Amino acid sequence: MGVAVTIKDLAAKCGLSVSAISKALNNYPDISEETRAHVRKAAAELGYFPNAQARALKTNRTYNIGVVYEDGNRDGLLHNFFASILDGFKREIETSGFDITFINRNIGRGQLSLLNHCKYRNMDGALIACVDFYNAEVVELSKSDVPCVTIDHLFAAACPCAMSDNRTGMSELIRYVASMGHRRIGFVHGEHTAVTDTRMSSFFETMNALHLPVVPELLLQGVYHSPPSNYTAIKQLMALPEPPTCVLLTDDFAALGALEALSEMGLMPGRDISIAGYDGIMVGQLIRPRLTTYQQDTQRVGCEAARLLVRRIEHPNETLRPPVIVSGRLLAGETVVDRTEKKVLS
Amino acid sequence: MGVAVTIKDLAAKCGLSVSAISKALNNYPDISEETRAHVRKAAAELGYFPNAQARALKTNRTYNIGVVYEDGNRDGLLHNFFASILDGFKREIETSGFDITFINRNIGRGQLSLLNHCKYRNMDGALIACVDFYNAEVVELSKSDVPCVTIDHLFAAACPCAMSDNRTGMSELIRYVASMGHRRIGFVHGEHTAVTDTRMSSFFETMNALHLPVVPELLLQGVYHSPPSNYTAIKQLMALPEPPTCVLLTDDFAALGALEALSEMGLMPGRDISIAGYDGIMVGQLIRPRLTTYQQDTQRVGCEAARLLVRRIEHPNETLRPPVIVSGRLLAGETVVDRTEKKVLS
DNA sequence: AATGTAATCGAAACCGATTTAGGGCCGGAG
DNA sequence: CTCCGGCCCTAAATCGGTTTCGATTACATT
C-alpha cells in the first residue's frame, strides 16, 4: 500500500500534537482560527483524510448504512421496482455522507443473523426493503437498537416508514377503468402483505363506492413480479363462462405475463380485453400497446426513506414520525379499452 | 446500544487473557485444543463476534469490496444488464465472506476521489463496472494498489477482467441473420468503448467472411441503453431510399425504442422489417413478438469477476491472469424475419 | 501583587481487536 | 541437580484516531 498519511504525519508537519490536529479538523472551539486554517491547508497538501476504521472504533459511527435486500428468490437487484427505490435512496443518503452496504447472512465461512451483521459492521442504520417482513430475522432487526427505515411496511416497532400511496393509487386506477365503461373487473392480487392488504381494501371500497359488483370468481391470488403466475391467472379468468372485461394485475412485470397469455389466446389487449398493471416501470411504456398502469414515484419513496433514516440517526430520541406517503400518478396507456364509445357506436 | 460483547468479556468469562482468546479464535497453533474448544463454546454462548473496525484497524483487512458504479447518468442500478452482473458478483463474493459497498465521490460534506474513497474505507478490493473507463478517477483507481477487477474492459494496468464474448456473440448473431436471408444489414453501434470496438470489428470481419456488403449509410452511432437514441436511428435508416431489411441495435433496452419507432411507422417487426437486440434481458422475451437477440450470461460474468478479484486479493503477487471470457447464446426470437422462405414463396 | 479567567494546546486514556516477545512449567537429557 | 526445549499462555505494543482533563500563557480584575 502506498502507506496512507496518518494524523501523526500531519501533526509532525504542523508542529502540533495529534489531538490538536483532530480538534482542528473536527471544529472544536478550543483551537484558534489561524491554527485551524493552517492545519486544513497542510491536510490538503498532504492529501490527508482520516481512517474510517479508527474513527469508527472510537466514535461508534461508521457513516455506513446496511441495506437488507431479498436474498431468497433470484430477484433482488433485478427487481425494477426495488432497484429504483434503492437508487433513489442511495442518491439521497450519499448527499448526507453515508455509504451503503448490502447486508446478508454470511461472514467469512460463518453465519450471522441480519441484526448481528449490522452490529458486526457497526452500521449507523439500515434500510429494510424488498424482504419478507414476517421473517424472524427481519423482525428482530426492526425491533433492535439499530435505527431502521422500512419501505411499504409499517412495523409495530418504532421504525419509520416510507410508502407509496397504494390506497389512492388503487382507487384512481379503478375509477379510471370504471370511467372507461368496465363493470366486470377482475383483480389478481399478490401474496398477503401490507401492500396487498391496502390495495385489496381499497379495491373493495372503491368498487362499492362506484356500485360495481365484486364477483368472487374474478378475485384471484397471484404472485408479485412473476409473469408465469399472472399468465396462469389470466388464462383462468378468461376461461370463465362470463369472463371479466378488464383485469388488474399485481404489477407491471407480471402484467407482461398476462399479455403473453392473451396473445397466445389470440386476444388483443386494448381491443378484445383490457388489462392494467401497477408500478409504472419504464418498459411498460416502451412496448406497444403501452401498458395502462399506476406509476409509483419510486425515486421519491427511496429519497424520503433516506431522509427519515438520517433524521432518526441524528435525533434518536425524537418521537417517531408518521409514515411518509408518496403519491403516484395514473398512466393511461393503451391496454384498457374505452367501452363507453363502443356502446355509443353499437 | 445493547452494549456489544467484546473480547474482554469473553476473556473474563473464560478466565483467560485477551490475547489467548484472540489466538484461540484465529486458530493459532500455540493454544491447546481443549482451550480452543472451550473458548469457542463460550463465544457461542455469549453471542460474541469480533468488532470489524477494531480488527480492520490492526489487520488492514476489511472484507469489504467497493463497487464503482455509474453515478453520472440516471441509470446505474436501473440498468438491467449491469444489475444482473452486480447480482452475480454479489452472490459469489458473499460466499467468500466479503460485503459490498458502493463507492461514490462524497464523504460527509466533502469530496473524495474514487480511489481515496476506497482508501478511506480501506476496501480490500474494488469492482469497476458500468462506468466511463476513460474517466481520470477510474483510471487512477485501476492503476492504484487497491486490487481491482473490471467488467468488459481491459486496462493496460494490472487489472484482471471478466468479459462477455462480444466477438463470438456478434458473429453468431450476424450469421444467424444472414442465414435468414438478410444481406442489407444495418448496425446501430454504441459510443466508442472497448465493447463497441470488439463488436464493430467482429461485425466487419463476419460481414466480410460472409461476402455481405458493408454499406456506410447503414452504419450509425447510437447510445447504449437509450431507447430514444435508437428510435431516432431506426427512423433515419428507414428513411433511406433503400432501407436495410434487418437492423442490429446496441442492446435490448434500446431495441425497444426501435420497436416503438417501427410501430409508429406502421411497420411490424418480424414481418415488414427485422431487428435484433443484444444482451438478452428478460423483458425482451416477455413481449410479443419476442426479441431476437444474443443473450449474455451476466450472472456468470459477475461470478467470474468475483472469483478473479478474490484470487487477486488473496494472492497479490501472482502473475496477472488473462481475462475470463464468458460465452452467451443466441436467442432466436420473432423479430427477425425469414426471407429465404419468402423468396421461395414469391 | 495576588487572583481570576479566557484562550489554546498537549498528555494520556481509550475504542477492540491482533501480534510480538517473553515467561512460567514440566519432562527428559546430561 | 541443573539445564534445555516444548508447550501454553500473558503482557504489552500497536493500529489511527477521539475525547477528557489539565497545563500553560496572557490578560484583566481587585
Side-chain angles (χ1 to χ4, degrees), chain B residues 21-214:
Chain B
I21 302 292
S22 175
K23 290 195 209 176
L25 293 176
N26 289 307
N27 295 316
Y28 273 57
D30 60 346
I31 297 291
S32 72
E33 271 313 319
E34 44 179 343
T35 305
R36 193 187 310 283
H38 179 225
V39 170
R40 282 225 190 87
K41 192 157 148 288
E45 281 172 22
L46 256 58
Y48 167 82
F49 46 86
N51 178 301
Q53 277 79 36
R55 168 179 280 187
L57 186 55
K58 187 64 181 165
T59 62
N60 268 317
R61 291 267 297 185
T62 54
Y63 288 94
N64 203 359
I65 302 294
V67 173
V68 180
Y69 226 72
E70 182 71 38
D71 59 352
N73 302 3
R74 294 207 65 80
D75 312 333
L77 284 172
L78 309 181
H79 203 304
N80 284 278
F81 177 66
F82 281 104
S84 181
I85 286 180
L86 181 58
D87 192 68
F89 181 85
K90 175 173 179 286
R91 286 175 199 280
E92 174 64 22
I93 208 136
E94 279 177 354
T95 67
S96 303
F98 291 89
D99 287 340
I100 66 178
T101 299
F102 287 105
I103 291 303
N104 52 57
R105 291 180 166 79
N106 34 10
I107 172 65
R109 48 206 140 284
Q111 295 288 94
L112 223 48
S113 73
L114 295 177
L115 172 58
N116 280 343
H117 196 150
C118 279
K119 291 198 166 176
Y120 167 69
R121 290 236 181 247
N122 236 293
M123 295 299 179
D124 281 351
L127 166 68
I128 307 182
C130 190
V131 296
D132 171 12
F133 285 99
Y134 301 98
N135 176 283
E137 287 196 12
V138 172
V139 172
E140 180 194 38
L141 176 60
S142 76
K143 286 184 183 167
S144 75
D145 44 10
V146 2
C148 290
V149 62
T150 56
I151 301 288
D152 274 353
H153 183 92
L154 205 50
F155 270 118
C159 215
C161 171
M163 47 170 65
S164 200
D165 192 350
N166 285 292
R167 176 165 304 284
T168 306
M170 196 64 191
S171 174
E172 280 189 25
L173 191 55
I174 294 174
R175 283 170 198 281
Y176 170 74
V177 165
S179 79
M180 298 291 269
H182 293 272
R183 290 184 50 82
R184 265 187 94 72
I185 301 176
F187 180 26
V188 182
H189 63 263
E191 313 90 297
H192 168 66
T193 63
V195 169
T196 304
D197 290 350
T198 305
R199 289 199 199 154
M200 285 189 76
S201 84
S202 178
F203 175 80
F204 287 118
E205 257 177 45
T206 311
M207 292 291 275
N208 263 334
L210 296 176
H211 303 293
L212 294 176
V214 174

Side-chain angles (χ1 to χ4, degrees), chain A residues 87-344:
Chain A
D87 192 67
F89 181 84
K90 177 174 179 284
R91 286 174 200 280
E92 175 64 22
I93 209 137
E94 279 177 355
T95 66
S96 304
F98 291 89
D99 286 339
I100 67 178
T101 299
F102 286 104
I103 292 303
N104 51 57
R105 290 180 166 81
N106 34 10
I107 173 64
R109 47 205 140 286
Q111 295 288 93
L112 223 49
S113 72
L114 294 178
L115 172 58
N116 280 342
H117 196 149
C118 280
K119 291 197 167 177
Y120 168 68
R121 290 240 181 242
N122 236 294
M123 294 300 180
D124 281 351
L127 166 69
I128 307 182
C130 190
V131 296
D132 171 12
F133 285 100
Y134 300 98
N135 175 282
E137 287 196 13
V138 172
V139 172
E140 181 194 37
L141 175 60
S142 77
K143 286 183 181 165
S144 75
D145 44 12
V146 2
C148 290
V149 63
T150 57
I151 301 288
D152 273 352
H153 184 94
L154 205 51
F155 271 118
C159 217
C161 171
M163 47 170 65
S164 199
D165 192 349
N166 285 292
R167 174 164 306 281
T168 306
M170 195 65 191
S171 174
E172 279 188 26
L173 191 55
I174 294 174
R175 283 171 197 280
Y176 171 74
V177 165
S179 79
M180 298 291 269
H182 293 271
R183 289 184 53 82
R184 265 187 94 71
I185 300 176
F187 180 25
V188 182
H189 63 262
E191 314 91 297
H192 167 67
T193 63
V195 170
T196 305
D197 289 351
T198 305
R199 289 200 199 154
M200 285 188 75
S201 84
S202 178
F203 174 81
F204 287 118
E205 257 176 45
T206 311
M207 292 291 275
N208 263 334
L210 296 176
H211 304 294
L212 293 176
V214 173
V215 187
E217 301 92 71
L218 301 188
L219 214 57
L220 255 53
Q221 171 155 348
V223 177
Y224 281 114
H225 207 240
S226 163
S229 154
N230 288 46
Y231 173 100
T232 310
I234 200 126
K235 285 223 164 178
Q236 189 176 333
L237 287 175
M238 296 313 287
L240 289 174
E242 199 179 349
T245 65
C246 177
V247 182
L248 314 179
L249 282 321
T250 55
D251 57 287
D252 286 355
F253 196 72
L256 295 178
L259 288 177
E260 189 178 347
L262 292 173
S263 97
E264 272 181 19
M265 297 189 293
L267 293 174
M268 185 164 157
R271 197 188 60 194
D272 310 320
I273 168 81
S274 295
I275 74 160
Y278 208 99
D279 281 358
I281 63 176
M282 200 178 299
V283 289
Q285 304 311 303
L286 286 173
I287 60 172
R288 290 296 175 277
R290 255 182 286 259
L291 196 60
T292 295
T293 187
Y294 192 83
Q295 183 176 45
Q296 306 195 54
D297 193 344
T298 46
Q299 287 279 327
R300 180 86 190 290
V301 170
C303 172
E304 293 293 345
R307 287 188 184 152
L308 281 171
L309 185 54
V310 170
R311 185 89 204 164
R312 188 122 195 99
I313 291 170
E314 247 120 53
H315 307 274
N317 298 321
E318 204 177 63
T319 57
L320 191 66
R321 308 202 152 210
V324 172
I325 299 182
V326 177
S327 56
R329 68 197 181 98
L330 184 83
L331 288 186
E334 300 144 2
T335 54
V336 171
V337 205
D338 190 342
R339 302 194 82 218
T340 56
E341 277 180 24
K342 278 194 180 166
K343 265 184 203 151
V344 171

